[in-house]
Structures are given as structure tokens and as C-alpha cells.
């Protein structure tokens, strides 16, 4: 089986949407043009495990233009856009294994198909391919030269592997680039999470209480955009510094059990497990809508919620109504999976432009430099980060000043002080 998608008949619709996204991904397009001339990835086998979206399709096109032989599988069972998967196979010749709603067995069969490609480079969003290779396919390590990782959760998993001495090849943490997390995590998650909640529920946010668990870059984006839509935002944090930051950004901060009594809509973006648990379900306001925008569906204790519910029904697509023993209703979106990708289309192309420019340039970096790198987790080289910011500004038609020679010299001196 050289691909597994829902319906190749969706390819034309997928192609039109991929081209639409491409119009808002000028940095990636410029890399694609250069890659087509220079072919820096000639003959390099890439196994990518990413959300199968229009933006990812444009990254796949870019890698292929650089000469890579790419196989793509889904990085979440609910995030695949089936028309895009079809177009990748039928229009762009990218072997793709992804079907929206696939069960866990199929999800891993798709990952295994990507590993069977015998990659030189792995490209992960959540580290499932890296984890699977190290646990079940160690023989694949012989041909791998390096990898990239897209997201915070994946970087945390890889750092834990490296700390244990378990990680067997070098991986660039794309998430750590400033042109990635300051934009994708903040503005991308901020917009796409609210987009997912709104598309799923069609509820008004103005005047409602929005609880955000986690005040990292994703949480900051959601809180900021929620406030912008008129929601009263409560932040729940365990880190005193981030909690303080949330307070000074103008949000109320309180423990999760207290927030539960007030929440109309609750989003988790912590990267940790059971952030909304039994005590919060018990304290929760009638009619609360709960969802997750972190990588894994472990942030809400869904088995416990199902156990506590006396009945469950789907009242809208991906909206489950749970009736609790006291008659209270709690609404769970997308079975706790990434609400922005399951109920909407993920981050808009304009921020994924920078994230995926990092992916493309880091794949090129890996091919050129892997031989000199020990196994471990590496930051994106600063030159790559800075060049993406500069090109992005240029594509927006924005000019900035440059330091004068005098200013450069001043910044390098220590002799001058109070005058
Ligand atoms: N992660 C978040 N949004 C995404 C998108 N649009 N495409 C791929 N990965 C994503």
C-alpha cells in the first residue's frame, strides 16, 4: 500500500485549498524556489509525521522541490484534512498515510508505514516517530542522520530521552526558534483555538468566562485573543513567574477548582496530564464547555469524566454532552484532542509560513551538518531564525533601520557611562 487516504476524489478541492494557503506562505515559497534550483535534499528520504493540513502540504512540496523523497503520516488521529491528503497523493505525488478520525491502531500503522520508508531524516510533531523508532524499529536508526521536531511537547519528550542517554541521533528543536514559538504558538494558537471553539459550538465569547490552563506562549495567545473578543479571562498556572505575568497582563489567576465554578469555556494548553480532573468536574458550572489545545488528549481526564457521566450524547459534530449525576451538563469538544485542528483548520498559513520555513531550512541544515553532530537536541541556528524574520518582514513590505557604525561600536564598548 503506497498511500492510505480517505478518498482520492477529494484531490481537486484539496489542491485549490493548498494553493490558497500558499498565497500566504511567501517565505516558504521563496525557499521552494531556491530548493528547486539547488536541490539540497537530492535523494534524501524524509519521513514526516505532521498534521496533514494545507500548510503542511506546502512544506511537503518544498522538500520535494529540494529533491527529497517524502512520505507523510498524520501526527494526530483527528487533525487530517482529507482533501489535502488526497491532493498530496494525486496531485503532488507525496505518499501520504492519514485519514481524519482514524483509530489508534490505524494511526500507528500509518506511522509504521512512514518508518518503513527507511528515512534519513525524521520530521516529527510530538515525537511519535522518534519514540516508535527507538522502541520498536531500532534497525531504522542505521540510516537516520537526524531529525526535526515541531512542537513544545515533542521537544520535552526528546529532552527527556536525551537526558536518559536514550536518544540516538541529533534532532533540531524547531519549536525553540523565535520565528516559531513567538508567532505560531502565540498568535497561531490564539486565533485557531478560538476558531475551533467557535466553529464547534457557535457560542458567543463576549461576556463569558474563559479559563485558560497554562500561560506559556500558547496560553498567552489564547488569553489575549479571548480578552480581545470580550471574554473575562481566568488563567490557571503552577509556575509563580508565569502566574505573576498573567496577573500583570490583566487576567484573574486562581486555582483550577475555583475557576471551575466560574467557567463557561475552558481550554487547556499545559502539556501535562489531568489538568482538568475529578475535583474540577465536580465543581464545574452547569453548561461548561471544556476542550484542549495542547498536543496530547491527556490534559482532561476524559476516562474519569465518562465514568462520572450518567449519559453521553453528541449534540453537534465533535461536541459531546455529558450529563452528571446531579443533572449538570458538561460539554467536551473533539474528545479532548487539539480543538484548533480537530474543529477548525489549525493555525493560519501566515504563521505556519515561518514555522515551516524553519522546518525546511533545518532539514537542509541537518543534511549539511549531521555528520558533525552528536545525538542530542539542538536549537535552530540563529542565522536561520534571523534570516526567516528578515525575509518575512520583506514579504510584508516592512522596512526597518540598521545600526550605524557608531552605534555598533557603542554597543561593543564598556568605557562609556554616565555623561
Ligand atoms: N499545527 C498547528 N496548526 C497547524 C497547521 N495549520 N498545519 C500544520 N501543523 C499545525
Amino acid at each position: 500500500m503506497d498511500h492510505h487516504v480517505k478518498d482520492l476524489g477529494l484531490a481537486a478541492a484539496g489542491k485549490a485549498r493548498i494553493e490558497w494557503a500558499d498565497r500566504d506562505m511567501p517565505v516558504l515559497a521563496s525557499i521552494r524556489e531556491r530548493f528547486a534550483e539547488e536541490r539540497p535534499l537530492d535523494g534524501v528520504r524524509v519521513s514526516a509525521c505532521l498534521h496533514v493540513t494545507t500548510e503542511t502540504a506546502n512544506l511537503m512540496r518544498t522538500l520535494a522541490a529540494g529533491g527529497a523523497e517524502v512520505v507523510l503520516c498524520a501526527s494526530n488521529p483527528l487533525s487530517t484534512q482529507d482533501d489535502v491528503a488526497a491532493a498530496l497523493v494525486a496531485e503532488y505525488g507525496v505518499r501520504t498515510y492519514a485519514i481524519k478520525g482514524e483509530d489508534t491502531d490505524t494511526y500507528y500503522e500509518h506511522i509504521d508505514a512512514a518508518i518503513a520508508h527507511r528515512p534519513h531524516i525524521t520530521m516529527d510533531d510530538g515525537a511519535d516517530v522518534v519514540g516508535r523508532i527507538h522502541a520498536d524499529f531500532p534497525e531504522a536508526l542505521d540510516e537516520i542522520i537526524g531529525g526535526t521536531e515541531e512542537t513544545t511537547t515533542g521537544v520535552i519528550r526528546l529532552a527527556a530521552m536525551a537526558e536518559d542517554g536514550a536518544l540516538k541521533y541529533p534532532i533540531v528543536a524547531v519549536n525553540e526558534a523565535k520565528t516559531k514559538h513567538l508567532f505560531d504558538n502565540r498568535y497561531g494558537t490564539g486565533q485557531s483555538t478560538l476558531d475551533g471553539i467557535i466553529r464547534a459550538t457557535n457560542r458567543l465569547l463576549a461576556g463569558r468566562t474563559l479559563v485558560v490552563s497554562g500561560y506559556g506562549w500558547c496560553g498567552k495567545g489564547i488569553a489575549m485573543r479571548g480578552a480581545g473578543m470580550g471574554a473575562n479571562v481566568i488563567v490557571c498556572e503552577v509556575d509563580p513567574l508565569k502566574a505573576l505575568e498573567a496577573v500583570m497582563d490583566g487576567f484573574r489567576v486562581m486555582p483550577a477548582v475555583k475557576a471551575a465554578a466560574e467557567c463557561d469555556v475552558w481550554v487547556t494548553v499545559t502539556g501535562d496530564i489531568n489538568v482538568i480532573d475529578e475535583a474540577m468536574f465536580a465543581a464545574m458550572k452547569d453548561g461548561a464547555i471544556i476542550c484542549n489545545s495542547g498536543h496530547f488528549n491527556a490534559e482532561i481526564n476524559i476516562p474519569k469524566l465518562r465514568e462520572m457521566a450518567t449519559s453521553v450524547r453528541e449534540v453537534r459534530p465533535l461536541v459531546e454532552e455529558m450529563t452528571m449525576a446531579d443533572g449538570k451538563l458538561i460539554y467536551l469538544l473533539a474528545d479532548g484532542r487539539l480543538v484548533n485542528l480537530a474543529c477548525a483548520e489549525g493555525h493560519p498559513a501566515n504563521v505556519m509560513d515561518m514555522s515551516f520555513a524553519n522546518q525546511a531550512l533545518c532539514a537542509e541544515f541537518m543534511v549539511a551538518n549531521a555528520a558533525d553532530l552528536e545525538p542530542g537536541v539542538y536549537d535552530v541556528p540563529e542565522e536561520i531564525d534571523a534570516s526567516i524574520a528578515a525575509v518575512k518582514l520583506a514579504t510584508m513590505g516592512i522596512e526597518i533601520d540598521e545600526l550605524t557604525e557608531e552605534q555598533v561600536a557603542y554597543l561593543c564598548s564598556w568605557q562609556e557611562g554616565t555623561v
Side-chain angles (χ1 to χ4, degrees):
M1 186 171 61
D2 74 352
H3 64 267
H4 192 202
V5 301
K6 186 174 179 196
D7 176 4
L8 287 177
L10 302 171
K15 182 164 189 258
R17 292 200 317 110
I18 291 165
E19 288 170 355
W20 170 257
D22 196 45
R23 286 188 60 83
D24 219 12
M25 304 184 82
V27 181
L28 190 64
S30 70
I31 293 169
R32 189 158 63 237
E33 244 172 66
R34 177 172 69 74
F35 272 18
E37 273 170 32
E38 298 177 6
R39 307 275 294 176
L41 307 178
D42 236 342
V44 175
R45 290 190 298 273
V46 177
S47 292
C49 177
L50 301 168
H51 301 297
V52 179
T53 65
T54 53
E55 294 74 25
T56 298
N58 286 318
L59 172 61
M60 297 301 105
R61 292 172 61 199
T62 305
L63 300 174
E69 295 163 20
V70 191
V71 168
L72 173 66
C73 66
S75 61
N76 184 289
L78 269 189
S79 63
T80 296
Q81 298 170 6
D82 288 317
D83 58 343
V84 169
L88 277 164
V89 173
E91 302 280 349
Y92 300 106
V94 174
R95 286 172 47 204
T96 300
Y97 298 83
I99 297 176
K100 182 165 183 157
E102 62 197 20
D103 60 21
T104 306
D105 286 347
T106 311
Y107 175 77
Y108 280 105
E109 277 163 25
H110 288 168
I111 287 188
D112 293 352
I115 295 170
H117 183 44
R118 294 186 295 116
H120 300 114
I121 299 265
T122 60
M123 194 170 269
D124 252 314
D125 186 333
D128 276 347
V129 167
V130 172
R132 189 90 169 160
I133 286 172
H134 282 72
D136 298 315
F137 300 97
E139 65 283 2
L141 291 167
D142 294 345
E143 290 185 271
I144 296 176
I145 59 167
T148 64
E149 170 53 53
E150 170 76 6
T151 201
T152 317
T153 297
V155 173
I156 291 169
R157 290 178 81 189
L158 294 175
M161 285 179 80
E163 180 70 24
D164 270 358
L167 185 62
K168 300 295 181 214
Y169 59 92
I171 299 189
V172 179
V174 165
N175 184 68
E176 302 312 297
K178 292 192 182 78
T179 48
K180 199 280 183 181
H181 66 262
L182 293 181
F183 301 90
D184 166 319
N185 300 27
R186 180 167 35 172
Y187 304 112
T189 310
Q191 178 165 320
S192 63
T193 299
L194 296 191
D195 187 13
I197 294 167
I198 292 166
R199 288 198 209 189
T201 65
N202 195 27
R203 288 282 199 250
L204 186 74
L205 286 180
R208 294 279 167 64
T209 298
L210 171 68
V211 180
V212 182
S213 284
Y215 205 63
W217 291 109
C218 295
K220 283 179 196 172
I222 296 168
M224 171 173 60
R225 292 299 182 242
M229 292 192 73
N232 299 308
V233 177
I234 295 175
V235 171
C236 300
E237 245 304 337
V238 292
D239 177 339
L241 207 93
K242 290 182 181 161
L244 194 56
E245 207 180 354
V247 171
M248 299 225 179
D249 284 345
F251 302 119
R252 287 198 294 153
V253 173
M254 63 182 73
V257 173
K258 283 194 180 168
E262 294 197 39
C263 109
D264 293 305
V265 180
W266 194 330
V267 189
T268 54
V269 267
T270 66
D272 214 334
I273 58 165
N274 298 341
V275 173
I276 309 183
D277 210 341
E278 187 172 4
M280 296 76 160
F281 298 136
M284 206 164 270
K285 187 173 157 184
D286 179 36
I289 294 166
I290 59 176
C291 61
N292 165 55
S293 212
H295 186 78
F296 288 121
N297 62 339
E299 303 209 14
I300 302 172
N301 189 344
I302 296 171
K304 176 52 75 178
L305 179 60
R306 293 197 187 285
E307 189 187 307
M308 290 168 78
T310 54
S311 67
V312 180
R313 62 179 184 135
E314 191 172 49
V315 289
R316 292 167 60 94
L318 298 175
V319 181
E320 283 181 289
E321 181 186 77
M322 313 274 182
T323 304
M324 310 308 279
D326 60 1
K328 177 172 80 183
L329 303 176
I330 295 176
Y331 295 96
L332 173 68
L333 307 189
D335 199 23
R337 299 202 189 274
L338 288 151
V339 71
N340 59 340
L341 283 140
C343 298
E345 294 169 67
H347 306 346
N350 201 272
V351 282
M352 294 313 295
D353 188 24
M354 288 188 280
S355 309
F356 285 166
N358 274 293
Q359 285 285 7
L361 295 181
C362 287
E364 181 182 34
F365 169 84
M366 252 319 158
V367 169
N369 296 284
D372 302 325
L373 299 176
E374 295 294 322
V377 184
Y378 290 83
D379 279 342
V380 172
E382 273 181 31
E383 315 80 71
I384 289 183
D385 212 356
S387 76
I388 290 171
V391 175
K392 187 72 174 173
L393 276 174
T395 66
M396 297 164 89
I398 294 171
E399 294 175 302
I400 58 172
D401 293 318
E402 275 180 34
L403 292 174
T404 63
E405 275 180 30
E406 182 191 29
Q407 288 170 327
V408 173
Y410 182 81
L411 290 176
C412 297
S413 70
W414 54 269
Q415 291 91 347
E416 287 189 60
T418 308
V419 285

